Amino acid sequence: MRDQLSSGEERRRNLRLALILASVAAAFFVGFIVKMSMFGHH
């Protein structure tokens, strides 16, 4: 089981994964803020 990825390829894949996770986290955060702003002020 040899690692066939070059460092650049692996870094690009990790960067894409980090961007996906960050966008998901940002979407949840924005949704939470919107829900709080809508249901927080009666």
Side-chain angles (χ1 to χ4, degrees):
M1 188 180 296
R2 262 185 12 190
D3 193 325
Q4 297 178 353
L5 290 178
S6 63
S7 59
E9 180 81 19
E10 191 171 1
R11 181 162 38 226
R12 202 179 326 138
R13 184 173 298 179
N14 286 343
L15 180 63
R16 194 180 71 172
L17 180 63
L19 285 175
I20 292 173
L21 290 177
S23 62
V24 170
F28 273 110
F29 186 70
V30 169
F32 181 75
I33 293 297
V34 169
K35 189 167 68 172
M36 281 290 121
S37 66
M38 286 178 64
F39 298 122
H41 308 298
H42 289 293

